Amino acid sequence: MHQDVEQILYTEEELRRRVKEVGAQITADYYGRQPLLISVLRGSYIFMADLTRAISLDLTVDFMVVSSYGAGTVSSGQVEIKKDLSDSIEGRDLIIVEDILDSGNTLYYLMDVLKARKPASIRLCTLMDKPDRRTKPITADYVGFTIPDAFIVGYGLDYDEKYRNLPYVGVLKPSVYQRGAEPS
Ligand code: IMP
Ligand code: MG
């Protein structure tokens, strides 16, 4: 275990098993359709890679980079598109793939932007959900794990761009972020 991690929340094996279940659910729900999975970078890159391989459909993928936080780590409510989608989404069945749903600010804004481009449907899939922290009326259609309010890292999730490569999801030691800025 990494020295900055207080506790492992989900092991590699638990993540693998749950991602397969979510993939199977999406496969069943979208039977006969060709959904477009949109990964919101960077946090969802590992989840996206595993999730898409757990779905048996003729899906396509696209990527977006948004930032919801300014220089600090406190959610500003302002979301900026740093990299937009490569293709049109008009008439497509979208599945937005997120690493974690926290305040909901990022997704609340993003859903509006995407809806304006006239997709056939939009659903939201998040690996982690922290419902206690929600300030915007956003719920995910597919949730990997519902977790209490703790700052977690690994499996794509970062603190200050670090720890994304940990193969498990763990709770970050508060002493790590108390040295720097508060995490969001
Ligand atoms: P929201 O707009 O507050 O829902 O923020 C969502 C984004 O905040 C996520 O996509 C993450 O990048 C980041 N975030 C929120 N909670 C955590 C956490 O516990 N660990 C790592 N990143 C987090
Ligand atoms: Mg992040």
Side-chain angles (χ1 to χ4, degrees), residues 20-32:
K20 286 205 164 167
E21 285 172 4
V22 175
Q25 185 64 52
I26 290 174
T27 303
D29 291 354
Y30 285 81
Y31 181 78

Side-chain angles (χ1 to χ4, degrees), residues 69 98-100 102-106 130 150-152 157-158 184:
Y69 305 106
E98 256 284 25
D99 55 350
I100 186 163
D102 189 33
S103 73
N105 277 330
T106 313
K130 282 200 254 185
F151 199 82
I152 58 168
L157 289 142
D158 74 304
S184 52

Side-chain angles (χ1 to χ4, degrees), residues 78 84 113 158 168:
Q78 285 292 101
D84 208 336
V113 169
D158 74 304
Y168 51 82

